[in-house]
Amino acid sequence: QVQLVESGGGLVQSGGSLRLSCTASKIIFSIYTMGWYRQAPGKQSELVADISSGGSTNYADSVKGRFTISRDNAKSTVYLQMNSLKPEDTAVYYCRADRVIQYWGQGTQVTVSS
């Protein structure tokens, strides 16, 4: 079945960087819009960034200028480079593939200490 596997989360100090990766299998990756979402404790899930099949990107206002989403269709992988991390970026980060039907990864924890 379709699988999205995230990696790259962890514990980092405020101001630090992390790069998340999400590798997909059993889908034609190149035709999907790929997105990163996050959910902090007690809060609703929110879109962090997404990238269309054509490479157009969209970011939440809270991460503009700090995070960069990119994709490598040959590797069926989407990345989220996160710089200048803040404690409020602490959340579980999920990868999503979207083309009519949505598929989700299992999530990876990002914790930013102050």
Side-chain angles (χ1 to χ4, degrees), residues 20-71:
L20 305 183
S21 300
C22 170
T23 300
S25 58
K26 304 290 179 68
I27 61 171
I28 304 174
F29 180 84
S30 62
I31 68 173
Y32 279 76
T33 291
M34 299 300 299
W36 287 97
Y37 290 72
R38 66 187 181 187
Q39 186 165 24
K43 295 188 176 181
Q44 287 190 324
S45 175
E46 62 172 347
L47 172 68
V48 176
D50 62 20
I51 182 167
S52 72
S53 57
S56 298
T57 58
N58 177 47
Y59 295 92
D61 287 343
S62 59
V63 307
K64 282 180 182 175
R66 300 188 298 123
F67 291 11
T68 302
I69 190 170
S70 61
R71 65 191 298 160

